Amino acid sequence: MESFNALLASGQYHDILSIIKGFRNGAVYGAKIRFPHALVMTFLFRSGSVQDKVRFIYKATYQHSRNLAFFVTIYKTLMAVQRNVKGKEHNLDSFFAGIVGGYIVFGKNNNVNNQIVLYLFSRILVGLAKLAVKNNIIPEPQNTFPVFAAVVWGIVMWLFRHNPETLQSSLQASMTYLYNDSEKFNTFKNFLWHNR
């Protein structure tokens, strides 16, 4: 074990070892993020037997974990290759590595990938707006969050009311539960105790 620790500390195979550790971190992080989410959402909103629910939780957790592990591996590998070929890292290297990894790993449109990509999309829009302010392309807006929140909620409610099929299925289900199912009741039981 001491010789292995010495190898790790030496930095001799740093690129390869960081790729391996990146794979590990992607797998662990994916499981940490997806398992509790899948557990709660499945038992709250999914029908079926306990066995079916456990199988779904495992499948979603495995897919999220695997996808992050493979994305990190592809990304770090391409970054290392570009750095070794060019002699140093260049500005667009991370963009190129992200595009290749994103296409290979997250290019299949399924529920897990869709959720991850939409999560990232919302975060990068905010990041790009902050970058535009940082680079003095636009002035820093003041007190815009209330307007932003109002527009987002106005658009989602309009889409749900008039074009619900355009929304992601999990969002449709949540909106149906909140807004449509609250219109349906005829007994105390389905008024307060049970939804239907």
Side-chain angles (χ1 to χ4, degrees), residues 1-9 17:
M1 187 57 100
E2 284 184 35
S3 60
F4 185 66
N5 287 340
L7 174 69
L8 293 175
L17 294 172

Side-chain angles (χ1 to χ4, degrees), residues 169-189:
S169 61
S170 62
L171 178 57
Q172 284 181 48
S174 298
M175 302 285 274
T176 297
Y177 181 83
L178 292 169
Y179 305 107
N180 293 355
D181 290 355
S182 60
E183 297 283 331
K184 300 170 185 170
F185 52 86
N186 58 10
T187 67
F188 177 77
K189 182 179 177 183

Side-chain angles (χ1 to χ4, degrees), residues 20-139:
I20 293 168
K21 177 134 189 221
F23 178 89
R24 177 252 182 226
N25 285 6
V28 169
Y29 189 77
K32 282 182 175 181
I33 294 299
R34 180 57 59 173
F35 177 75
H37 177 268
L39 179 70
V40 170
M41 297 304 283
T42 299
F43 280 99
L44 283 179
F45 296 111
R46 209 168 173 85
S47 59
S49 68
V50 172
Q51 185 179 9
D52 289 341
K53 290 177 180 183
V54 168
R55 191 176 300 119
F56 177 81
I57 293 165
Y58 170 77
K59 183 179 173 187
T61 302
Y62 174 77
Q63 183 179 10
H64 196 140
S65 179
R66 182 196 67 203
N67 285 6
L68 278 181
F70 281 113
F71 178 83
V72 173
T73 301
I74 291 167
Y75 174 82
K76 290 182 75 64
T77 299
L78 290 176
M79 289 298 290
V81 167
Q82 291 176 104
R83 192 170 47 252
N84 286 320
V85 167
K86 298 175 183 178
K88 66 176 186 170
E89 183 178 323
H90 294 274
N91 192 30
L92 292 177
D93 291 352
S94 57
F95 181 73
F96 172 74
I99 283 178
V100 172
Y103 184 83
I104 292 170
V105 176
F106 293 104
K108 183 177 181 186
N109 190 2
N110 57 50
N111 289 340
V112 171
N113 286 352
N114 192 280
Q115 189 175 40
I116 293 169
V117 171
L118 288 175
Y119 171 86
L120 290 174
F121 182 70
S122 65
R123 285 0 183 230
I124 65 168
L125 287 180
V126 172
L128 288 171
K130 288 180 178 181
L131 183 63
V133 169
K134 176 184 170 187
N135 291 332
N136 295 316
I137 295 169
I138 60 170

